[in-house]
Amino acid sequence: MNPLDYAYTVTFVLLGAAVLLTLYRLVRGPSVMDRLVCLNAVSVLLVTFIAVEVALRGDHAYIGLVITFALLGFIGSLTAARFAERRAHDRG
């Protein structure tokens, strides 16, 4: 194994740990906004995971998938922000 393979392995382990910790926070929660932020973080971690996999394999076929997940995460964040704004406005 060359040093780059070790770097990829460490990156995947750290991304996996980050996803597990984020999913734990998603379940524990206490508020809806915490859960929405966690979903956004999971989408960013998923995009990062796929991007590292693309770099590891050197296959650029998954770039469209990376862009799709990034756009879906962005749209989800916008939807969550609008939800939070409306909820705050309704409360007074």
Side-chain angles (χ1 to χ4, degrees), residues 28-67:
R28 290 287 297 171
S31 70
V32 173
M33 285 308 295
D34 286 335
R35 289 183 172 98
L36 291 173
V37 169
C38 287
L39 282 175
N40 187 25
V42 167
S43 72
V44 169
L45 290 170
L46 179 64
V47 167
T48 306
F49 181 82
I50 296 170
V52 172
E53 184 70 24
V54 165
L56 174 66
R57 293 180 188 263
D59 183 16
H60 301 291
Y62 295 109
I63 294 295
L65 186 65
V66 170
I67 293 170

Side-chain angles (χ1 to χ4, degrees), residues 69-88:
F69 275 124
L71 286 173
L72 286 174
F74 177 70
I75 291 170
S77 297
L78 286 179
T79 305
R82 291 188 73 168
F83 171 75
E85 181 183 7
R86 285 184 185 171
R87 191 170 180 186

Side-chain angles (χ1 to χ4, degrees), residues 3-22:
L4 197 54
D5 290 335
Y6 289 117
Y8 284 130
T9 303
V10 169
T11 302
F12 285 130
V13 168
L14 291 175
L15 283 172
V19 167
L20 289 176
L21 290 170
T22 305

